[in-house]
Amino acid sequence: ANIKFKREDRWANLPKGVMEQFIHFGYAFHGIDMTISGNVPQSIGLGSSAALTVATAYALKNLFDLSISETQMVQAAFLAETSFIGNETEITDTLTACVAKKDAVLFLDLRSLKYEFIQFKFPDVKLLVTNSNVPQTPGQNELSDRKRICAECVEFLSRRKSGQALRDFSVADLKAAMGLIPESTRRMCMHVVQENQRVLDAKQCLMTGDLPALGKLMNRSHESLRDDFEVSCPELDWLVKRAWEIDGVFGSRITGTGFNGCTVTLLRESAIDKYAERLEEYERIFGFTAELFICEPSGGVKILFP
């Protein structure tokens, strides 16, 4: 009856937030004993919060046989993290955790929330996530600043051409603004505009099975995140550069929010051992032990024990 956010409850606020949303939907709960186990590393941009909120929502639906829609469950999981806890995040991780399909990647339009699946099934090709284990930094404030800068740029550009977000503007629009907005602002916004196009190009590469071209897009994405959007760090740059040097690697880039966290590398399975050998050098240089996770596109949330 009195579910509130408490900082000292740490991650337990996530399931509490889901329950609060269900109560808003008109569902009631009595006492619940919950055991939570997980293997998604926390606080490195891999969606551990979304995994927990989505799992909670589906467990509650199943436990109490609630007639709640999938849309409401996605909403409850997302609002638990944003409204209840106050994290600034998009719905991407939450929706993916709900609807993902095995051997497919999700192409999502955040404006319309329409999505489609693209097959990702290539023999001997893996997605390798490397956790840099760089300690957390106050990166959220940095990201908030970047969002504010981009919003200010949109406001300026919209005086000349109708648009609500950077996706509505082109490289030419930003070039025309040269000298009218700060160069650092123009550079950050140029990253967003070009990254949107890279996503569309990557979709085509996946549909045609052109992995070398997809890898080049990943590489250009990292370079832009490093040089234009400025969310990388020396450790992540080192991991990406070492990956680029190995035969059998198609591409590598930052994944997550940046500043610390992980890289994601598209490579042939035969190249994994050689890449792993380089990580001993990483520990010697930076003092952190990197961790590897071989990932495959999997299905979304499901009830294991009905």
Side-chain angles (χ1 to χ4, degrees), residues 19 30 32 42 54 94 113-114 132-133 137 150 155 184 188 193-194 197 222 234 240 246 270 289 292 297-298:
M19 292 176 193
H30 301 290
I32 304 171
Q42 299 177 32
V54 168
T94 307
L113 292 185
K114 293 180 179 179
S132 68
N133 270 317
T137 61
C150 290
E155 185 179 354
S184 59
M188 285 185 182
V193 171
Q194 292 178 331
Q197 186 59 51
H222 180 83
V240 166
I246 295 172
S270 57
T289 303
L292 298 180
S298 306

Side-chain angles (χ1 to χ4, degrees), residues 59-74:
L60 292 174
K61 171 182 168 64
N62 185 71
L63 179 63
F64 294 103
D65 194 24
L66 304 178
S67 57
I68 184 170
S69 69
E70 185 176 80
T71 299
Q72 285 181 308
M73 285 192 289
V74 172

Side-chain angles (χ1 to χ4, degrees), residues 3 5 10-22 24-25 49-50 52-54 56-57 60 72-89 91 94:
I3 295 178
F5 171 83
R10 298 178 295 134
W11 56 263
N13 283 300
L14 291 165
K16 284 167 55 181
V18 175
M19 292 176 193
E20 184 197 50
Q21 292 303 319
F22 273 46
H24 287 329
F25 293 152
S49 297
L52 180 51
T53 55
V54 168
T56 300
L60 292 174
Q72 285 181 308
M73 285 192 289
V74 172
Q75 182 182 353
F78 178 61
L79 291 177
E81 191 169 359
T82 53
S83 177
F84 189 77
I85 293 182
N87 291 342
E88 285 188 42
T89 185
I91 202 169
T94 307

Side-chain angles (χ1 to χ4, degrees), residues 191-246:
H191 161 76
V192 177
V193 171
Q194 292 178 331
E195 189 79 346
N196 281 336
Q197 186 59 51
R198 279 190 285 268
V199 171
L200 298 174
D201 293 342
K203 176 186 175 183
Q204 293 302 314
C205 290
L206 282 169
M207 293 176 69
T208 59
D210 192 346
L211 297 186
L214 177 61
K216 289 178 181 177
L217 289 169
M218 292 175 68
N219 296 344
R220 286 204 292 272
S221 174
H222 180 83
E223 290 168 344
S224 182
L225 287 162
R226 178 193 67 201
D227 301 334
D228 297 332
F229 211 59
E230 299 179 5
V231 292
S232 190
C233 64
E235 294 85 354
L236 292 172
D237 291 339
W238 190 95
L239 291 168
V240 166
K241 191 173 181 180
R242 296 295 83 78
W244 289 348
E245 295 169 351
I246 295 172

Side-chain angles (χ1 to χ4, degrees), residues 73-281:
M73 285 192 289
V74 172
Q75 182 182 353
F78 178 61
L79 291 177
E81 191 169 359
T82 53
S83 177
F84 189 77
I85 293 182
N87 291 342
E88 285 188 42
T89 185
E90 300 291 351
I91 202 169
T92 313
D93 290 346
T94 307
L95 186 63
T96 302
C98 289
V99 305
K101 288 185 178 180
K102 182 177 172 57
D103 296 328
V105 297
L106 186 71
F107 177 78
L108 169 65
D109 185 330
L110 274 175
R111 176 173 287 174
S112 66
L113 292 185
K114 293 180 179 179
Y115 58 86
E116 59 185 286
F117 296 99
I118 306 166
Q119 186 176 26
F120 188 99
K121 197 171 185 180
F122 304 101
D124 304 322
V125 173
K126 299 293 182 183
L127 286 166
L128 188 68
V129 172
T130 306
N131 179 8
S132 68
N133 270 317
V134 173
Q136 267 191 292
T137 61
Q140 190 60 55
N141 293 334
E142 297 258 7
L143 287 174
S144 296
D145 287 342
R146 281 158 176 72
K147 289 181 179 179
R148 175 185 55 77
I149 288 169
C150 290
E152 290 172 356
C153 184
V154 168
E155 185 179 354
F156 173 82
L157 293 173
S158 63
R159 296 172 194 164
R160 301 178 164 206
K161 174 183 171 181
S162 178
Q164 300 174 354
L166 284 172
R167 64 184 285 172
D168 300 318
F169 299 97
S170 66
V171 169
D173 294 326
L174 282 168
K175 286 183 176 179
M178 188 179 296
L180 301 175
I181 56 176
E183 179 56 26
S184 59
T185 295
R186 196 181 69 86
R187 195 170 64 247
M188 285 185 182
C189 293
M190 186 69 79
H191 161 76
V192 177
V193 171
Q194 292 178 331
E195 189 79 346
N196 281 336
Q197 186 59 51
R198 279 190 285 268
V199 171
L200 298 174
D201 293 342
K203 176 186 175 183
Q204 293 302 314
C205 290
L206 282 169
M207 293 176 69
T208 59
D210 192 346
L211 297 186
L214 177 61
K216 289 178 181 177
L217 289 169
M218 292 175 68
N219 296 344
R220 286 204 292 272
S221 174
H222 180 83
E223 290 168 344
S224 182
L225 287 162
R226 178 193 67 201
D227 301 334
D228 297 332
F229 211 59
E230 299 179 5
V231 292
S232 190
C233 64
E235 294 85 354
L236 292 172
D237 291 339
W238 190 95
L239 291 168
V240 166
K241 191 173 181 180
R242 296 295 83 78
W244 289 348
E245 295 169 351
I246 295 172
D247 288 339
V249 169
F250 296 105
S252 186
R253 69 184 289 276
I254 301 170
T255 186
T257 55
F259 304 109
N260 72 332
C262 302
T263 65
V264 60
T265 304
L266 181 70
L267 77 174
R268 296 200 181 278
E269 192 169 8
S270 57
I272 293 176
D273 289 343
K274 192 167 184 181
Y275 174 69
E277 290 173 7
R278 303 299 299 272
L279 298 187
E280 295 178 10
E281 188 181 353

